[in-house]
Amino acid sequence: MSQRTHNHVGHHRLTPGTQEHAAATSAWNRLTVHRPAAVFAPADVHDVAHAVRWAVREELGVAVMATGHGVAGVGEHGVLINTASLRSVCIDAARRTATVGAGAHWSDVLPACAPHGLVGICGSSSQVGVVGFTQGGGFGWLSRSLGFASSSVRGAELVTASGRVRTLRRDRDDDLDLLWGVAGGAGNFGVVTSLTLDLHPIRGVYAGSLYYPVDRASEVIATYASWSASLPADAMSALALSGLPDAPSVPEPFRGRRFVVARGCFPDLAAGEDHVHELRRQLGDPDIDTWTKRAATDLDGVSLDPTSPLPFVQRGESLTDITDEVTSTLQEHVIPDLGTSLVMCEMRQLGGAMDTSPRGPHPMADTSARFSINCIGVAPTPDAVAAVRTTQERIFTSLRLHLTGDTYLNFLDGDATPERVRAAYTPQDWERLVALKNEHDPHNVLRFNRNIPPHAPSSIPSIHQNGAPS
């Protein structure tokens, strides 16, 4: 067993106007502004319980933030609990588990897994927090092989909405219902202070990206659509249209250029080399080729996600398939805005183990979509925000007949309405989640999240094929 622990000072209520307060309220998405009634930076689970009880006494809601990703703006009617200091990591190699604090990043966990030949189900960036990613369902480059991150939850420590500390384990029957909700319920049932996750014995993968000039988009998209359909069930791929700014923060080979990109990850090294060789044979040499053998714990180089906070607007949907009509929409409504109102539109392949993961309240649990689609624009000014949203609305309106209506919680940003959150779950899962909310947080103390309202009517319009309300 190995352990790495990060100890930080700062378990108290923070004073407005201090550097600590400013840091604790700074979101990853710079468009998100937090002006809470109070900010707490707990050092342990007991400090978290104190902060929750204080919020309840003051009749305030509770928001939780660690890395700053995916938290709705908190105003004067809320308390922000910043769990960044809870950054412990404990690897149990014999049991193939990791127990991680609420503030741990994947960049803390993955290096601790590597010496044991183990890996967790992480996303495309190791800068993301483990707990928030997992509670939003969580899928990444290994998910067609391993499933959703929420399905890997084995245990949890949390503070309930009443301020009670609870420890949940998958091997205790009395804990199973609440643990099921905690695993993929977007933080609606308590402030999670640690999770215990299953790890998996994968050492090496074949992964990377082929970058072609965007004027070859029609050919590359069509070839990719056919190629991705032929891949093994455990191989993940994605197609991205990318237009990065001419800025010093962008690596030189990509700066100010527009690409169509074929990405992926194969846990079977030989199969990966063969399949990518075939793609290169069909398309010819790319401008940039990053495919190589990598450690399964070192996948940041596939997507090259930003490593510093940005002001951005994203919108994600679920796509039935990449058809000729979809290709035409991408060419007409995405490519002209790459590098201006859009920096990326990515379609990630679904299926494989995500279809067969143990049933939990994870996103797209019963979807007919073959791809997620996520469009992102950097928006440093109000005019830029409006331009990105206009572009996104035009894209998704044009794609309407090819969208299933299913949502993925971790891609919901400012559009996390009750209807959009509900669309992440099957009707049966939603009803079960609402029942758990009624039992464990009937006053909706934990509401600054992808919120599941208590007593939510089962008649909220469900979203079915083609995005049409039923």
Side-chain angles (χ1 to χ4, degrees):
M1 182 181 293
S2 64
Q3 183 161 355
R4 301 167 62 220
T5 304
H6 304 256
N7 293 315
H8 297 268
V9 177
H11 61 278
H12 54 288
R13 181 178 170 185
L14 302 181
T15 304
T18 62
Q19 288 185 338
E20 292 83 1
H21 189 280
T25 56
S26 182
W28 179 267
N29 186 345
R30 293 308 195 207
L31 296 181
T32 301
V33 178
H34 297 304
R35 295 191 178 93
V39 181
F40 290 85
D44 57 32
V45 65
H46 303 293
D47 290 338
V48 173
H50 168 79
V52 171
R53 290 194 293 267
W54 187 91
V56 171
R57 285 197 304 270
E58 298 296 320
E59 299 183 344
L60 298 169
V62 169
V64 184
M65 185 170 78
T67 63
H69 293 82
V71 181
V74 184
E76 61 183 5
H77 299 294
V79 168
L80 180 63
I81 300 175
N82 189 304
T83 59
S85 294
L86 308 181
R87 211 164 167 175
S88 61
V89 175
C90 180
I91 305 299
D92 188 329
R95 290 184 171 87
R96 292 182 181 173
T97 64
T99 299
V100 302
H105 302 205
W106 279 110
S107 59
D108 301 319
V109 176
L110 295 173
C113 295
H116 308 288
L118 299 171
V119 68
I121 303 172
C122 59
S124 57
S125 170
S126 64
Q127 300 301 310
V128 172
V130 178
V131 169
F133 171 81
T134 301
Q135 289 192 289
F139 78 98
W141 290 118
L142 294 170
S143 284
R144 273 172 55 95
S145 175
L146 303 176
F148 287 103
S150 56
S151 297
S152 73
V153 174
R154 182 175 290 193
E157 179 186 73
L158 72 155
V159 176
T160 68
S162 63
R164 176 189 172 194
V165 177
R166 289 196 60 175
T167 301
L168 308 176
R169 288 172 32 188
R170 197 161 65 189
D171 58 0
R172 291 199 300 237
D173 290 346
D174 289 347
D175 294 344
L176 287 178
D177 203 37
L178 181 55
L179 184 61
W180 176 89
V182 167
N188 275 279
F189 309 108
V191 180
V192 171
T193 53
S194 73
L195 286 180
T196 298
L197 307 171
D198 290 320
L199 300 176
H200 305 272
I202 299 178
R203 285 188 178 272
V205 297
Y206 189 68
S209 299
L210 301 178
Y211 291 80
Y212 292 93
V214 78
D215 58 12
R216 292 190 59 193
S218 178
E219 175 192 4
V220 174
I221 294 170
T223 303
Y224 167 82
S226 175
W227 177 78
S228 62
S230 72
L231 296 182
D234 64 350
M236 172 69 91
S237 73
L239 179 82
L241 294 163
S242 171
L244 299 177
D246 186 2
S249 59
V250 178
E252 181 60 39
F254 308 98
R255 190 178 301 168
R257 301 182 66 186
R258 303 195 306 165
F259 295 100
V260 54
V261 190
R263 297 171 172 157
C265 177
F266 293 78
D268 183 322
L269 300 177
E273 289 185 301
D274 289 344
H275 280 278
V276 177
H277 175 76
E278 175 59 22
L279 185 60
R280 289 194 197 94
R281 187 192 66 78
Q282 293 184 54
L283 290 173
D285 292 336
D287 284 7
I288 302 170
D289 187 342
T290 68
W291 281 89
T292 189
K293 296 178 181 178
R294 305 171 187 265
T297 53
D298 185 22
L299 294 176
D300 280 5
V302 179
S303 293
L304 294 174
D305 285 353
T307 57
S308 300
L310 292 167
F312 65 90
V313 180
Q314 71 172 345
R315 178 172 169 183
E317 300 284 354
S318 299
L319 188 66
T320 54
D321 208 344
I322 300 177
T323 64
D324 291 343
E325 293 81 3
V326 169
T327 300
S328 295
T329 293
L330 297 175
Q331 290 181 292
E332 182 178 355
H333 296 294
V334 175
I335 290 175
D337 289 297
L338 283 178
T340 54
S341 58
L342 288 181
V343 294
M344 188 188 73
C345 181
E346 183 186 59
M347 287 145 285
R348 294 187 186 180
Q349 193 173 13
L350 305 176
M354 288 186 279
D355 288 343
T356 58
S357 282
R359 280 299 309 280
H362 52 64
M364 300 175 290
D366 189 27
T367 187
S368 60
R370 287 196 61 231
F371 294 89
S372 67
I373 177 169
N374 191 26
C375 292
I376 301 175
V378 175
T381 67
D383 286 346
V385 170
V388 172
R389 288 179 175 157
T390 296
T391 298
Q392 290 171 335
E393 183 62 28
R394 185 172 65 249
I395 293 167
F396 289 112
T397 297
S398 298
L399 288 173
R400 181 176 58 85
L401 296 178
H402 303 278
L403 303 177
T404 66
D406 306 300
T407 60
Y408 171 49
L409 292 178
N410 286 343
F411 286 170
L412 295 182
D413 201 21
D415 59 345
T417 63
E419 292 79 12
R420 296 277 287 162
V421 173
R422 187 196 187 284
Y425 303 106
T426 66
Q428 297 81 5
D429 285 352
W430 176 256
E431 290 183 8
R432 186 176 172 188
L433 289 165
V434 171
L436 285 170
K437 186 73 171 182
N438 289 335
E439 179 181 356
H440 297 284
D441 186 15
H443 302 294
N444 207 15
V445 173
L446 296 152
R447 59 180 177 267
F448 297 99
N449 46 28
R450 275 80 176 195
N451 194 232
I452 300 168
H455 313 292
S458 58
S459 60
I460 289 178
S462 61
I463 307 297
H464 292 303
Q465 197 77 354
N466 301 332
S470 63

